[in-house]
Amino acid sequence: MKPPLHVDQFVQHYPRLIHARGRLIISAGMPTDQAYYLISGRAHAKSHPKPKSRMGKDFAAGDMIGFVSFLALDHYDLDIMASSACEVLAIPRHVIENHWGKEDIASWLFACSMASEVVKKQQPVMMGFAI
């Protein structure tokens, strides 16, 4: 997913993480207190017993990694592994929320609500929801 904000302004202020090929960038269960933007490289959702609709997701430079989970959940729900050497920007949740909210708080709330609906539809059994 492409970022909903201009990432260039964050690059100088927040940590860049370097991940070797085969290393986890995001582990299922990590808190969604940071969003991850893929500056360079490629990443892939690691296969394990999760709903098939969420598996096989590839990420390339310029993508937000696991952004739907970031918006909708308290913890990431998938393992995301580096498919190549990756440089990743970690942006704290409050920075994204404040930046997005300055323009229009309703759009932040709408995005979180829409992401929650996506998660509910993709994971009804795991989340305890019926479809």
Side-chain angles (χ1 to χ4, degrees):
M1 172 179 278
K2 297 298 176 197
L5 50 125
H6 302 287
V7 174
D8 331 351
Q9 53 191 294
F10 299 110
V11 172
Q12 301 301 319
H13 304 291
Y14 295 98
R16 291 179 178 199
L17 311 169
I18 307 298
H19 296 276
R21 181 175 184 247
R23 298 295 307 243
L24 285 178
I25 297 171
I26 296 174
S27 297
M30 282 176 52
T32 54
D33 58 350
Q34 295 188 104
Y36 297 93
Y37 173 77
L38 192 55
I39 295 171
S40 66
R42 299 189 64 75
H44 183 81
K46 185 178 170 193
S47 295
H48 51 76
K50 293 279 185 183
K52 290 184 181 185
S53 63
R54 300 289 304 262
M55 299 311 328
K57 177 70 177 156
D58 291 313
F59 301 96
D63 287 342
M64 297 295 284
I65 304 171
F67 201 61
V68 170
S69 296
F70 170 79
L71 291 172
L73 303 171
D74 292 332
H75 294 84
Y76 284 100
D77 59 343
L78 290 174
D79 292 333
I80 307 296
M81 181 179 291
S83 302
S84 67
C86 292
E87 184 176 7
V88 178
L89 179 65
I91 307 170
R93 172 178 285 284
H94 72 276
V95 171
I96 293 176
E97 185 174 357
N98 290 342
H99 180 78
W100 209 339
K102 281 181 190 174
E103 292 181 22
D104 179 14
I105 191 64
S107 65
W108 168 257
L109 298 172
F110 180 72
C112 292
S113 175
M114 292 303 296
S116 294
E117 290 300 315
V118 168
V119 170
K120 285 179 193 177
K121 287 179 181 174
Q122 290 180 342
Q123 300 182 12
V125 176
M126 292 182 62
M127 301 300 292
F129 299 111
I131 52 174

